[in-house]
Amino acid sequence: MTAPASSVDALGITPPAEHFNFAHHLLEINAPRATKAAFVDDRGALTYGLLDSRVRRMATALRAMGLRREERVLLLMHDCNDWPVSFLGAMYAGLVPVAVNTLLTADDYAYMLEHSRSQAVLVSGALLPTLTAALTRSDHEVQKVIVSRPLAPLHPSEVDFEAFLQSHEPASKPARTHPDDPGFWLYSSGSTGRPKGTVHSHANPFWTCELYGKAVLQLRDTDVCFSAAKLFFAYGLGNGLTFPMAVGATTLLMGERPTPEATFKRWLGEVAGLKPTVFFGAPTGFAGMLAHANLPPRESVALRLVSSAGEALPAELGQRFKSHFGVDIVDGIGSTEMLHIFLSNRPDRVRYGTTGWPVPGYEIELRGDDGGPVPDGEPGDLYIHGPSSAMMYWGNRTKTRETFQGGWTKSGDKYIRNEDGSYTYGGRSDDMLKVSGIYVSPFEVEATLVQHPAVLEAAVIGKEDADGLTKTKAFVVLKPGTSTDEIELKAFVKDRLAPYKYPRFIEFVPDLPKTATGKIQRFKLRERDARAH
């Protein structure tokens, strides 16, 4: 199928000019806000004026090493005020920051160093030992390791982040980049193999800011934004850096894991005295918070907008959150490949149980196994056409061709289009089950199970019965202090779904395997189940 004419043309948004540097674009927007806090971490505030100076110092310092346009710089850093300085400083210099997950192993980083051919590394002191182990296992050599907030004396091959910055003057102008020049990389989650280096242009974050951050979420310069998803994720990068800066808001950064306790501390203003007005989370996190004994009362928080992505939000979770806090959760779906959300509910139009409607500027198609369109009410493979699609997977031509098809991006998700134009999530394409010859969405069964008062989380896979036929099996995590049994849960689902969908097998487990983004890894449950039988 051919891609449609650009759907952004009718929106009246002036596209980036022929010479466009995204880091410079954000700094320019906020030049009048020099004294306002741009980022606030556990150590203090970074004003927009100081951010501007430090970003341009970083650009000078990196170029002074002899790094050349489009060479990569690995960014392995916990969320803190040095993160945006590093990311934007590299882009300002025309270099390409490669933002990577802080929860990986030395072997993962060794692979990423070799795959990206990064010439330098910007790293948090707490992560330096893991990076050092990665460097010893890699055949790739880097020119310099710049350490943010070191915890111990540095090796001669390492340099302190602050000393690195202060030894150079701010760059007087940005690199003369084009909107389609490589701007940065993000690695895909790699849940079933090596992660893929996803290359985004300088223009891509501009479009996500305009089409989603401004037009859908309607963020304001008075907002304080706080994201549970970290900056190295596509979702977190928009939530915590590009969206707030695009409107001149303030971002609260948190280096530690987003546990309910850590999240509540920030919601209550116990860090820097700031209460977030906008929170970006994920379904797993919302489930944990709502089940927590110290869930704050409505009147103690300042939330006006709450966003969710990462996995589809069960309707029951959204409704319980709204009942407690008086604020809807705006659920949407995005991807590393599309950079941010392209299908979403709206702050003023939420339909729980669906992922909402296409974000203006994006086209959505559902295709069947034959590649043709599917009618409303039937599951199809989700394809997206929009201006923020990645350029390629670096060094992976086969996967690039499979995913990026003539202007369309294949998401790997199954969806159903409803009569009102909203879309309901069916599951990952490789997770869908055929039971009695009919497609069953694992997510639909999981969302029903979590409506039971004793169930905290559930994950559903396919399992062959004694006759070799595929049936559903549920792995269930119970809330602390509650109990139920297999018979009760089966009856609970039978009362709410078509008979062929209820789980024929149920196994109670203490927790579920998840990616760092909180997505359930059903393939690990399938492997575990196969080993057990």
Side-chain angles (χ1 to χ4, degrees):
M1 293 186 182
T2 58
S6 175
S7 57
V8 301
D9 294 342
L11 298 178
I13 299 170
T14 302
E18 180 181 356
H19 293 109
F20 178 79
N21 182 292
F22 182 68
H24 176 64
H25 168 71
L26 291 182
L27 296 181
E28 251 192 339
I29 289 171
N30 293 292
R33 301 184 177 93
T35 60
K36 181 179 181 180
F39 296 94
V40 181
D41 66 11
D42 292 356
R43 294 195 181 185
L46 178 65
T47 65
Y48 273 108
L50 190 54
L51 173 67
D52 181 284
S53 172
R54 289 171 72 82
V55 164
R56 292 187 293 113
R57 284 182 186 274
M58 176 59 72
T60 304
L62 290 171
R63 293 298 294 270
M65 290 171 50
L67 298 188
R68 297 168 295 179
R69 286 276 297 273
E70 297 185 17
E71 287 189 320
R72 271 77 66 192
V73 177
L74 199 79
L75 176 49
L76 173 59
M77 196 177 287
H78 291 306
D79 283 16
C80 68
N81 291 346
D82 290 343
W83 205 106
V85 171
S86 303
F87 185 81
L88 296 174
M91 291 187 75
Y92 195 92
L95 304 172
V96 180
V98 179
V100 297
N101 191 329
T102 59
L103 302 173
L104 303 180
T105 67
D107 285 340
D108 292 320
Y109 299 133
Y111 167 77
M112 290 172 175
L113 285 164
E114 293 179 1
H115 181 249
S116 68
R117 305 180 196 129
S118 291
Q119 297 301 301
V121 182
L122 292 141
V123 62
S124 289
L127 297 167
L128 184 57
T130 308
L131 173 68
T132 302
L135 289 168
T136 62
R137 299 177 195 186
S138 170
D139 293 330
H140 177 72
E141 294 184 7
V142 300
Q143 295 186 39
K144 197 176 291 290
V145 174
I146 302 107
V147 185
S148 166
R149 305 178 179 183
L151 302 180
L154 298 178
H155 186 271
S157 63
E158 301 157 353
V159 61
D160 176 76
F161 185 96
E162 200 59 37
F164 185 66
L165 275 191
Q166 297 306 323
S167 61
H168 295 87
E169 292 299 314
S172 59
K173 60 182 181 180
R176 197 172 167 84
T177 48
H178 185 276
D180 291 337
D181 282 349
F184 59 95
W185 291 19
L186 299 171
Y187 274 96
S188 67
S189 58
S191 59
T192 55
R194 285 294 193 185
K196 299 180 287 293
T198 310
V199 183
H200 281 285
S201 70
H202 274 264
N204 283 3
F206 167 86
W207 288 115
T208 60
C209 290
E210 296 296 320
L211 300 177
Y212 194 69
K214 292 182 181 180
V216 174
L217 296 182
Q218 299 180 20
L219 296 179
R220 312 164 184 163
D221 61 359
T222 53
D223 278 321
V224 176
C225 299
F226 173 44
S227 175
K230 300 300 184 182
L231 290 169
F232 58 77
F233 296 127
Y235 181 49
L237 181 64
N239 304 342
L241 197 159
T242 65
F243 290 0
M245 285 195 69
V247 299
T250 297
T251 298
L252 193 60
L253 296 176
M254 178 175 72
E256 62 187 298
R257 288 180 55 246
T259 61
E261 294 91 342
T263 300
F264 296 158
K265 273 180 64 178
R266 273 80 186 174
W267 282 9
L268 296 172
E270 295 176 10
V271 178
L274 288 174
K275 286 189 177 184
T277 60
V278 181
F279 177 69
F280 301 88
T284 297
F286 289 120
M289 288 187 283
L290 288 171
H292 199 275
N294 296 325
L295 182 67
R298 178 188 301 197
E299 61 273 11
S300 65
V301 303
L303 299 174
R304 73 166 189 87
L305 176 65
V306 177
S307 164
S308 178
E311 281 204 310
L313 179 76
E316 184 265 348
L317 266 183
Q319 289 157 355
R320 279 203 289 135
F321 190 94
K322 172 70 178 289
S323 175
H324 184 85
F325 287 108
V327 180
D328 277 309
I329 297 179
V330 180
D331 185 35
I333 182 175
S335 67
T336 305
E337 291 75 11
M338 293 304 298
L339 188 56
H340 213 274
I341 290 172
F342 48 81
L343 184 62
S344 181
N345 284 271
R346 309 284 193 271
D348 60 351
R349 190 185 185 195
V350 171
R351 181 182 170 190
Y352 285 123
T354 79
T355 315
W357 297 264
V359 171
Y362 293 89
E363 303 285 339
I364 301 294
E365 280 191 3
L366 299 185
R367 303 180 189 174
D369 295 338
D370 61 357
V374 299
D376 287 0
E378 292 189 16
D381 292 309
L382 179 68
Y383 286 75
I384 314 103
H385 180 271
S388 62
S389 178
M391 303 169 73
M392 70 180 93
Y393 296 130
W394 184 265
N396 195 334
R397 190 172 177 83
T398 299
K399 286 293 185 183
T400 295
R401 285 180 161 181
E402 286 178 9
T403 301
F404 306 104
Q405 303 179 10
W408 291 93
T409 300
K410 183 179 182 180
S411 74
D413 297 292
K414 289 278 190 183
Y415 263 87
I416 294 169
R417 187 179 186 275
N418 305 308
E419 288 183 1
D420 64 355
S422 65
Y423 288 76
T424 298
Y425 181 65
R428 293 292 295 172
S429 297
D430 52 5
D431 286 333
M432 290 293 286
L433 308 173
K434 263 201 171 177
V435 178
S436 303
I438 307 171
Y439 271 123
V440 173
S441 161
F443 175 75
E444 183 184 19
V445 183
E446 293 160 3
T448 303
L449 282 165
V450 298
Q451 293 175 32
H452 190 282
V455 176
L456 177 64
E457 293 182 301
V460 170
I461 65 169
K463 176 183 174 67
E464 289 189 356
D465 65 12
D467 297 318
L469 300 174
T470 298
K471 305 297 181 188
T472 49
K473 174 175 179 175
F475 293 84
V476 173
V477 180
L478 297 180
K479 294 175 182 175
T482 66
S483 65
T484 184
D485 58 29
E486 188 173 344
I487 295 172
E488 181 181 341
L489 286 183
K490 286 180 178 179
F492 184 83
V493 176
K494 280 183 185 179
D495 286 344
R496 289 159 176 80
L497 296 179
Y500 64 90
K501 294 181 180 180
Y502 85 91
R504 308 302 171 90
F505 311 95
I506 293 179
E507 182 177 338
F508 294 96
V509 293
D511 52 47
L512 299 174
K514 297 186 179 105
T515 67
T517 59
K519 296 178 182 177
I520 296 170
Q521 294 175 307
R522 293 176 186 82
F523 77 95
K524 287 191 175 180
L525 294 173
R526 289 193 289 267
E527 291 171 355
R528 167 181 162 174
D529 199 60
R531 288 195 302 269
H533 299 88

